[in-house]
Amino acid sequence: MIITDTHTHLYSEEFDIDRDKMIQRAINNGVSRFFIPAIDSSCIQKMYDLEANYPENIFLMMGLHPTYVKDNYTEELQIVEQELASRKFVAIGEIGIDLFWDKTHLKEQQTAFRSQIKLAKHYKLPIIIHCRDAFDEIFQILEEEKAADLFGIFHCFTGTYEQALQAISYNMKLGIGGVVTFKNGKIDQFLNKIDLKHIVLETDSPYLAPLPFRGKRNESEYITLIAQKLAEIYSISVEEIARITTENSKDVFSI
């Protein structure tokens, strides 16, 4: 059984004390494909180091995370462009709009999101969308930028059924993580109405650990708990969840 974690921050300092052991635990439990999003230029070398240590398992994205869109965002975007021109990546991400913590840089976030969508089109790569308290703003830009060659994943999807359908209409798969196991997560109430072909699994580790580890450090190994929850929701085996969602990840990342 192969399970794919389509979104994990393995370079995070939360893993500095036991990173290799944590990755090996995941691999030992069938989690053998790890897709690593960028946040800003500070994580790039750490990402490259991970890839060098696990070339068969780790696949890198490049992008500027919306909460890292600050006054110097144009310089950060230039670094994104330079990195994309220098080597191969599997996606542009994570990118998007986040209005949960701070709304003062909304215009800059919108500009950064649009410019990185254009990069994705240029390089024919998927986008990995970060959306927090910003569905309307995200959908507005996706509506304006929609195209046959624009596709990707709505990372950490926590919206409504209607928002799920809208995301799917823009060629986005839904990244389902630990929230699906939460009692107040709500997405478990309608997820079985969504065809599994639109679903991929993710942890967003070290964040958003599933039950029974909620509030603790998340690990890629815990994606097996998310797969088990989806198996219950869809009334099929965990093995089938793993197979279908891994195939879906291959459709997105072409790897």
Side-chain angles (χ1 to χ4, degrees):
M1 181 174 72
I2 296 173
I3 306 178
T4 299
D5 188 348
T6 62
H7 201 107
T8 174
H9 300 268
L10 294 179
Y11 51 78
S12 173
E13 63 182 14
E14 280 88 343
F15 297 127
D16 285 353
I17 58 171
D18 64 346
R19 182 173 289 104
D20 290 321
K21 290 181 179 178
M22 182 272 298
I23 292 173
Q24 196 57 55
R25 279 197 298 272
I27 292 173
N28 291 344
N29 280 278
V31 189
S32 57
R33 289 159 46 85
F34 308 87
F35 289 82
I36 315 297
I39 52 172
D40 68 359
S41 59
S42 68
C43 71
I44 293 174
Q45 188 56 52
K46 297 174 185 177
M47 292 168 59
Y48 289 164
D49 292 344
L50 273 168
E51 181 187 50
N53 290 332
Y54 299 92
E56 302 298 317
N57 306 101
I58 283 178
F59 309 96
L60 305 183
M61 312 177 202
M62 180 51 56
L64 178 62
H65 189 294
T67 62
Y68 291 80
V69 172
K70 306 298 183 184
D71 292 336
N72 70 333
Y73 81 99
T74 55
E75 289 86 352
E76 284 286 334
L77 288 176
Q78 287 175 358
I79 294 172
V80 169
E81 291 190 44
Q82 291 166 8
E83 295 297 321
L84 286 167
S86 70
R87 53 155 290 164
K88 181 178 174 58
F89 292 91
V90 298
I92 308 292
E94 61 187 285
I95 65 175
I97 299 175
D98 188 316
L99 301 179
F100 180 78
W101 299 108
D102 185 3
K103 296 180 173 65
T104 58
H105 287 92
L106 172 58
K107 288 185 178 180
E108 291 86 351
Q109 287 190 37
Q110 290 169 321
T111 299
F113 188 33
R114 288 181 192 277
S115 67
Q116 291 181 97
I117 286 175
K118 294 186 189 315
L119 286 172
K121 290 178 177 178
H122 175 75
Y123 286 100
K124 296 179 170 41
L125 290 173
I127 60 173
I128 309 304
I129 298 174
H130 173 106
C131 174
R132 196 167 186 191
D133 287 1
F135 276 105
D136 290 344
E137 291 80 1
I138 292 277
F139 285 148
Q140 179 183 346
I141 291 176
L142 290 180
E143 179 63 28
E144 295 168 4
E145 296 288 343
K146 65 182 179 182
D149 59 350
L150 182 62
F151 64 103
I153 297 172
F154 229 95
H155 149 61
C156 190
F157 183 82
T158 55
T160 64
Y161 175 60
E162 291 72 24
Q163 288 167 333
L165 296 180
Q166 192 166 354
I168 291 167
S169 76
Y170 294 122
N171 297 325
M172 300 295 150
K173 296 194 187 298
L174 308 180
I176 303 300
V179 173
V180 76
T181 70
F182 298 172
K183 291 179 180 178
N184 61 347
K186 298 183 180 178
I187 58 173
D188 61 312
Q189 297 172 19
F190 65 78
L191 207 56
N192 64 354
K193 298 180 183 177
I194 305 291
D195 194 305
L196 260 175
K197 69 182 180 181
H198 301 302
I199 303 294
V200 293
L201 301 184
E202 62 167 68
T203 58
D204 199 22
S205 59
Y207 317 108
L208 293 173
L211 292 175
F213 300 105
R214 186 176 184 180
K216 299 180 180 179
R217 185 187 77 169
N218 199 4
E219 300 185 12
S220 284
E221 176 191 3
Y222 299 163
I223 203 167
T224 55
L225 300 170
I226 299 164
Q228 288 171 10
K229 181 64 177 182
L230 262 65
E232 295 172 13
I233 290 171
Y234 285 95
S235 299
I236 60 177
S237 68
V238 171
E239 289 77 12
E240 192 69 356
I241 291 290
R243 183 188 68 78
I244 293 172
T245 55
T246 288
E247 285 302 312
N248 294 344
S249 75
K250 293 177 180 178
D251 288 344
V252 175
F253 296 113
S254 299
I255 193 166

